[in-house]
Structures are given as structure tokens and as C-alpha cells.
């Protein structure tokens, strides 16, 4: 469970997760909470729970690395045969663990991913934009990335470790899970409202997340650069033909209109192509630095 400024919900989160895990595995389970550099009392709440109860692992990162990296830190620490990924806001009910395990056993699957039927407490804009994003990504990517599915999913340990070991920095976990293959089946459910606090994904983060997904799992934007170059060439040819026609048959101020249109069209497509290419080059540059994906400040385990 990645946690960022979730102080008020930690106790309820652990209570519900503990009950769900006990129903499946008795006392043979662990709850791994990753504090992603929270600015409130999240770490203090996690620490208190590790001292109060058993089977709890608290990991505190040295700063805020982002949801996907914090999730990776949790997967790196998980030791169970089955791993459930769930957000700390309790929008995804922990009580669904038992039926998800049943589906995994019945289908012989390595991944059971939660697919949302409804999303309570979320704005029309967020639901609509998310729906469009998932469908565009599915069309643009060569991978079969499920629509209307977040990071809430049950995985076998081999899938969890494969994801944790992947070296890329700009992480899109649901795409990474899709990329490993194996048998993956959906689990339809209704998403709840947040238990407490506010969403940690404002529009700016949603946009950044969408860009990461498209740049990591689709070459469509690069192909758009090539397409824009072709369109630019066609526009130049058209303007040249029009200029010749005007020079031969029309009485116009020579050159000015066609020159300006040509400059505008060419400049636009050049800038669009360069901006897309620069995004890829920038990510390659950051990857060559080989900096650690995350840094752990503290680890606490229940005794």
C-alpha cells in the first residue's frame, strides 16, 4: 500500500486489510505500507500500528518519489506467495481479496485485476477523462492494457518480483503488468468513495501520468512526428503551387502571403516534432544516470 498524507485513514485501512488477510491466510500474511515522503503524521501512524499489532511492515522513503515508485518499493519488500496491490484511500475495498483469490484459483491465473463498474464520489470530468485515456492507450499500444483498471490487482509472487525488478524510471505499473504476459483475468467491482482526505491525483498529476503511459507503452507520438513531417511537406507543395498560380494568373502582392503561411506551417510542425522527440531523449538521458529508483529512510516491522 503506497501512502501519501493518509494519516487519518491508516488505522481503518489496517483493520480492514488485517481482517481480509486473516480470512484467507490465518496468521500467515503481512501488510506492507510504504510512506511516500508524507508531510503529515502518516509515518507516525504507521509506526504506531507496527508496535501495536503483528504482521505489519512499514517502509519510509527519504522523500516523495511518486505513487508508482512507492508501489514498486512495496513490491520489492513483499514476500508472500500472493500479493494484493491496493491504495491507502480505501476506494478499492480490501474485502474483495477473498473473491479475487477464488477467481485466481478457479481460472489458474497469475493476475486478477480489478475492473471498475462504477466510481463513487468522483467528478464527471475525472471519470470521462479516465475513460477516454484508457481507450486511447489501448488503441495506441501494442500491449493489451485493460480499460477501466487501476493498480488494484492480485498477483502471484513471480509477477510481483518481475515488476519490482524492471529497471525503467518512468513507471506505469498497469502497463508493466500487462507486458509480462501470463494469464490475466478481470474482476468487476464497484469503487467506493475515499475514506478520508482528498485525492492525491489533481489534474496536473493525471496529465503527467497519462504522458508517462503513452511515452512508455506507445510509439504513436513518434509516428505523429513522422506524419507531421509528411503533412508539412504536402502543405509546402500546396503553397508553392498556389504561389505559382497567383504569379501567373492573379494580381496580388507578390510573395508575402505564401511566405508567411509557409513559415507558420513549417515552424508549427517542426516544433511539434522536436517537442515529442525531446521527451524521449530526456527520458533516455535520465535513465543513463542509473540513480536509485527510490531511497529507503526507515523500515519498521511488527515483533
Amino acid at each position: 500500500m503506497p501512502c501519501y498524507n493518509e494519516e487519518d485513514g491508516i488505522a481503518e485501512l489496517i483493520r480492514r486489510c488485517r481482517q481480509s488477510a486473516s480470512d484467507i491466510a490465518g496468521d500467515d500474511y503481512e501488510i506492507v505500507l510504504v510512506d511516500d515522503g508524507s508531510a503529515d503524521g502518516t509515518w507516525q501512524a504507521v509506526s504506531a500500528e507496527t508496535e501495536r499489532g503483528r504482521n505489519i511492515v512499514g517502509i519510509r522513503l527519504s522523500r516523495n518519489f511518486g505513487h508508482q515508485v512507492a508501489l514498486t518499493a512495496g513490491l520489492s519488500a513483499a514476500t508472500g506467495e500472493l500479493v494484493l496491490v491496493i491504495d491507502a484511500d480505501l476506494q478499492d475495498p480490501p474485502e474483495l481479496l477473498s473473491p479475487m483469490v477464488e477467481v485466481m484459483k478457479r481460472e489458474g491465473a497469475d493476475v486478477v485485476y480489478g475492473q471498475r463498474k462504477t466510481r463513487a464520489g468522483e467528478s464527471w470530468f475525472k471519470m470521462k477523462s479516465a475513460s477516454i485515456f484508457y481507450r486511447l492507450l489501448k488503441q495506441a499500444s501494442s500491449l493489451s492494457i485493460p480499460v477501466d483498471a487501476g493498480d488494484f490487482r492480485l498477483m502471484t509472487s513471480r509477477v510481483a518480483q518481475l515488476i519490482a525488478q524492471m529497471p525503467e524510471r518512468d513507471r506505469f505499473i498497469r502497463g508493466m503488468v500487462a507486458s509480462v504476459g501470463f494469464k490475466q483475468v478481470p474482476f468487476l467491482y464497484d469503487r467506493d468513495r475515499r475514506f478520508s482526505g482528498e485525492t492525491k491525483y489533481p489534474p496536473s498529476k493525471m496529465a503527467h501520468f497519462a504522458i508517462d503511459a503513452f511515452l512508455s507503452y506507445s510509439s504513436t507520438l513518434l509516428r505523429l512526428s513522422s506524419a507531421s513531417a509528411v503533412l508539412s511537406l504536402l502543405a509546402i507543395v500546396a503553397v508553392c503551387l498556389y504561389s505559382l498560380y497567383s504569379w501567373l494568373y492573379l494580381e496580388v502582392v507578390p510573395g508575402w502571403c505564401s511566405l508567411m503561411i509557409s513559415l507558420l506551417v513549417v515552424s508549427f510542425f517542426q516544433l511539434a516534432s522536436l517537442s515529442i522527440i525531446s521527451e524521449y531523449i530526456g527520458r533516455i538521458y535520465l535513465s543513463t544516470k542509473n540513480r536509485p529508483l527510490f531511497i529507503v529512510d526507515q523500515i519498521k516491522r511488527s515483533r
Side-chain angles (χ1 to χ4, degrees):
M1 286 165 262
C3 307
Y4 180 67
N5 293 345
E6 298 287 356
E7 174 185 9
D8 296 334
I10 293 298
E12 178 67 8
L13 171 70
I14 290 178
R15 184 191 69 80
R16 290 175 60 179
C17 288
R18 188 190 299 280
Q19 182 62 53
S20 297
S22 297
D23 292 342
I24 291 296
D27 197 42
D28 188 19
Y29 67 88
E30 64 180 2
I31 299 173
V32 182
L33 301 103
V34 183
D35 177 19
D36 188 23
S38 297
D40 63 357
T42 296
W43 179 245
Q44 288 74 19
V46 171
S47 298
E49 292 294 334
T50 61
E51 296 171 1
R52 186 179 299 121
R54 295 179 297 171
N55 304 346
I56 299 173
V57 180
I59 301 173
R60 186 184 191 184
L61 302 186
S62 61
R63 63 172 175 84
N64 178 243
F65 286 87
H67 179 274
Q68 300 291 283
V69 174
L71 199 159
T72 303
L75 291 177
S76 300
T79 60
E81 294 180 11
L82 299 179
V83 180
L84 178 70
V85 174
I86 186 170
D87 286 340
D89 55 19
L90 288 173
Q91 286 187 282
D92 303 320
E95 292 77 13
L96 296 179
L97 173 60
S98 181
M100 291 175 80
V101 170
E102 291 177 6
V103 170
M104 176 173 278
K105 290 179 179 179
R106 184 176 67 247
E107 299 290 337
D110 280 272
V111 177
V112 177
Y113 57 87
Q115 196 164 46
R116 304 155 183 163
K117 293 190 294 183
T118 60
R119 304 176 64 164
E122 295 187 356
S123 66
W124 176 88
F125 171 76
K126 185 170 183 178
M127 290 190 291
K128 194 66 177 178
S129 60
S131 176
I132 293 172
F133 159 71
Y134 284 121
R135 282 152 181 80
L136 285 177
L137 181 61
K138 185 171 184 177
Q139 292 297 321
S141 175
S142 58
L143 293 174
S144 179
I145 300 177
V147 299
D148 302 324
D151 294 316
F152 179 50
R153 61 193 64 215
L154 180 69
M155 301 179 284
T156 58
S157 59
R158 65 172 175 175
V159 174
Q161 290 307 307
L162 282 170
I163 302 305
Q165 292 165 10
M166 289 184 179
E168 56 250 52
R169 304 190 61 82
D170 301 296
R171 304 178 78 79
F172 180 59
I173 299 293
R174 57 204 73 171
M176 295 165 72
V177 174
S179 72
V180 301
F182 304 116
K183 187 172 183 179
Q184 306 192 19
V185 296
F187 180 87
L188 299 177
Y189 75 106
D190 297 303
R191 203 171 197 221
D192 295 337
R193 296 174 181 270
R194 285 184 60 86
F195 176 75
S196 64
E198 298 178 351
T199 179
K200 306 306 184 297
Y201 263 88
S204 58
K205 282 192 175 182
M206 289 172 59
H208 189 271
F209 185 69
I211 291 171
D212 281 346
F214 273 95
L215 292 181
S216 298
Y217 287 93
S218 174
S219 58
T220 299
L221 293 180
L222 280 177
R223 290 170 184 155
L224 286 176
S225 296
S226 301
S228 66
V230 173
L231 291 174
S232 178
L233 177 62
L234 293 175
I236 291 172
V237 170
V239 171
C240 288
L241 292 174
Y242 175 75
S243 299
L244 287 173
Y245 175 80
S246 301
W247 177 63
L248 291 171
Y249 301 107
L250 304 177
E251 295 182 4
V252 295
V253 177
W256 185 87
C257 183
S258 59
L259 179 61
M260 290 302 296
I261 292 175
S262 299
L263 287 174
L264 288 172
V265 170
V266 172
S267 297
F268 170 77
F269 283 115
Q270 284 180 334
L271 289 173
S273 301
L274 287 174
S275 65
I276 294 170
I277 294 170
S278 67
E279 279 287 338
Y280 282 94
I281 293 174
R283 289 162 188 264
I284 294 170
Y285 169 69
L286 291 175
S287 296
T288 59
K289 291 180 177 292
N290 288 324
R291 291 174 179 167
L293 190 61
F294 56 86
I295 300 172
V296 174
D297 180 19
Q298 290 180 259
I299 299 178
K300 287 192 175 184
R301 294 179 181 270
S302 300
R303 295 181 179 179

